[in-house]
Amino acid sequence: MRRMLFKSLVHGPLTEAAPVADAAALAELAAQVDRVSRLRLGRTLFIREIDAGSCNGCELEIHALNNVVYDLERFGLRFVASPRHADVLLVTGPVTTNMRQALERTYQATPDPKWVVAVGVCARDGGVFAGSYACVGAVSSVVPVDLHISGCPPSPITLLKGLLALLENQETAASPSAKSSAN
Ligand code: SF4
C-alpha cells in the first residue's frame, strides 16, 4: 500500500492529457449552427437523445457537447428529457430487440415536424453488432432517419457539423423523410 502511494506521488496519474480544443474553429462552427437554427426554427433546437443499444461510446461524445469546452446550450441547442418537447431525436447504437418498442414509442410521442439523426456506424448499419441475435439492426429499419452522422464514435465537432447539416438541408426541413449523411 505504501509502495503504491509512493509510486502515485512520484509518477502522477495514469490518465491521458485532455484534448486541446480548436477554440476558433469551434466558435465559428457554433456561430453557424446558432445562426441557421434561428433562421430555420426561430427559436432553440431541442434534442432528445435515445440510446437504442449502443456501447455508450457515442454517449460519451454526446455528453461532451454539454461540458465546459463545447457548452452546447450557449448556442441555443438543448437536450430535453421528454420526446414531447423535442425537435430532434438523436439515436445511437444498433437497435436492440429490447429497445425497438421504446424507440417506436418515443418517435410516436415526438410532435411533428421532427427529425431523426442516427449517430455512429452502429446506428447506420449495426456496425460491430450487425447480425447479432439481440439486435434488430440499423435505426432506419425501425424509424425514418433524416441524417446519419458517421464515426465510431463521432467527435463532438462531427456531431455539431451533423446538426448544422441537418439545419442547412432545406430539403430535409421540408421533407423529414429525405435522407442525407454527415462525416
Ligand atoms: S458506433 Fe462505435 S462508439 Fe458508437 S455505439 Fe457503435 S461501437 Fe459504440
Side-chain angles (χ1 to χ4, degrees):
M1 180 66 189
R2 258 189 300 175
R3 189 190 292 179
M4 269 178 64
L5 195 60
F6 179 72
K7 258 176 86 174
S8 67
L9 285 173
V10 173
H11 297 295
L14 292 174
T15 50
E16 291 176 13
V20 182
D22 185 343
L26 175 61
E28 191 185 325
L29 182 61
Q32 255 181 299
V33 173
D34 187 35
R35 183 181 53 77
V36 178
S37 70
R38 282 177 200 283
L39 205 66
R40 293 272 181 272
L41 303 166
R43 59 186 171 87
T44 57
L45 184 72
F46 287 173
I47 304 164
R48 174 71 167 94
E49 205 271 342
I50 305 162
D51 177 350
S54 91
C55 74
N56 278 353
C58 286
E59 269 65 35
L60 289 174
E61 300 302 316
I62 291 170
H63 291 171
L65 288 172
N66 273 336
N67 70 21
V68 291
V69 177
Y70 298 101
D71 192 12
L72 195 69
E73 289 202 11
R74 68 188 151 144
F75 307 117
L77 283 81
R78 176 171 301 180
F79 287 95
V80 292
S82 169
R84 296 187 196 286
H85 305 158
D87 305 301
V88 174
L89 298 179
L90 204 62
V91 190
T92 64
V95 183
T96 61
T97 310
N98 286 348
M99 279 299 290
R100 179 186 194 136
Q101 193 185 39
L103 178 58
E104 286 169 346
R105 290 177 66 179
T106 305
Y107 180 80
Q108 284 158 13
T110 309
D112 288 325
K114 60 192 165 198
W115 299 281
V116 177
V117 179
V119 175
V121 293
C122 294
R124 178 191 286 267
D125 57 17
V128 291
F129 305 105
S132 163
Y133 70 92
C135 292
V136 178
V139 173
S140 59
S141 65
V142 179
V143 294
V145 169
D146 303 293
L147 178 81
H148 286 112
I149 300 179
S150 297
C152 180
S155 68
I157 288 282
T158 308
L159 291 166
L160 266 178
K161 283 181 182 167
L163 290 172
L164 180 62
L166 178 76
L167 292 166
E168 281 185 336
N169 190 334
Q170 285 242 11
E171 229 176 65
T172 302
S175 163
S177 61
K179 291 185 174 52
S180 52
S181 68
N183 290 310

